[in-house]
Amino acid sequence: MKKPKVIEFDRKCLRVLKSTLLARTPEEGCALLIGKRGNNYLPRENEVFRVHVIWPCCNIWSYEKFKIISQKPQEGNQEGERTNIEISKKNRFLIDPREQIVAQQWARGNHLIVLGDAHSHPIGKAIPSRVDSLWSTESRLMVIIDSEAAIRAWWWEKKNQRFESIEISYFGY
């Protein structure tokens, strides 16, 4: 999938997204974003991702299942020095792959697609964290909501290994 210029949320979906993700505080909440590429106003298919459905998911992250010993050195660290990040459901989410398959099947059956995912940062800003960048392996859409209900959209570009901000707009009532 190519990076969109804009992600549009149905206002009803936005309410569901906020309540679903913030209900998990102090842990990160997560959801899949289901909708279509393109709209009636912009003819090019990949310029707009339009979210019609929020698919709430369970955060199945477990340190015992996904133990991390160490991470890449951070800037400023001496060569060979490693930075360990304590990871828990408070700063990491994982959507069950079986849940993703069910959501994809449902979306296809309704002529929609899974556009990306969303998660909360109950103890941080609505910007990608170090943990988010370490666990992002494919180019994708990521929407983040913080504890103040601020929402921002991001595109992880695998080639550049960095996040780019995406404009958010709204439709509906």
Side-chain angles (χ1 to χ4, degrees):
M1 224 182 288
K2 291 186 177 184
K3 174 188 168 197
K5 289 186 178 177
V6 177
I7 178 170
E8 291 183 341
F9 280 96
D10 178 305
R11 289 188 190 279
K12 291 176 189 171
C13 287
L14 189 62
R15 287 190 294 273
V16 171
L17 182 67
K18 286 180 179 183
S19 63
T20 298
L21 297 184
L22 294 176
R24 297 298 304 155
T25 301
E27 297 177 351
E28 286 195 359
C30 52
L32 294 171
L33 307 172
I34 298 175
K36 295 182 177 184
R37 284 182 285 200
N39 66 19
N40 297 331
Y41 308 109
L42 294 173
R44 285 196 246 160
E45 188 174 289
N46 288 323
E47 290 201 1
V48 175
F49 283 9
R50 199 163 216 215
V51 179
H52 295 278
V53 176
I54 303 300
W55 188 283
C57 298
C58 294
N59 182 352
I60 66 162
W61 174 261
S62 166
Y63 183 76
E64 290 74 30
K65 290 181 185 177
F66 308 99
K67 193 171 187 177
I68 296 177
I69 298 168
S70 63
Q71 305 298 339
K72 300 184 263 188
Q74 285 184 332
E75 276 185 44
N77 287 353
Q78 295 177 355
E79 191 174 339
E81 183 181 341
R82 299 278 180 183
T83 302
N84 290 318
I85 300 172
E86 183 158 340
I87 297 178
S88 72
K89 285 185 176 182
K90 291 181 180 181
N91 66 350
R92 172 77 177 111
F93 76 98
L94 182 66
I95 298 171
D96 188 329
R98 294 170 293 192
E99 199 166 17
Q100 292 179 38
I101 290 168
V102 171
Q104 289 170 341
Q105 290 172 335
W106 182 89
R108 277 195 298 269
N110 288 279
H111 309 290
L112 301 169
I113 61 171
V114 175
L115 298 168
D117 60 72
H119 70 280
S120 59
H121 279 182
I123 55 175
K125 301 269 185 214
I127 58 174
S129 67
R130 178 97 170 114
V131 173
D132 291 333
S133 64
L134 289 169
W135 284 88
S136 294
T137 58
E138 296 298 321
S139 296
R140 69 189 180 109
L141 172 67
M142 178 187 295
V143 172
I144 303 172
I145 185 170
D146 66 19
S147 61
E148 303 294 318
I151 296 179
R152 295 198 53 198
W154 302 90
W155 183 260
W156 170 257
E157 187 58 55
K158 179 182 175 181
K159 185 172 110 177
N160 302 341
Q161 297 289 298
R162 66 184 185 101
F163 285 97
E164 298 175 39
S165 182
I166 298 175
E167 178 186 341
I168 296 176
S169 67
Y170 307 97
F171 66 94
Y173 301 102

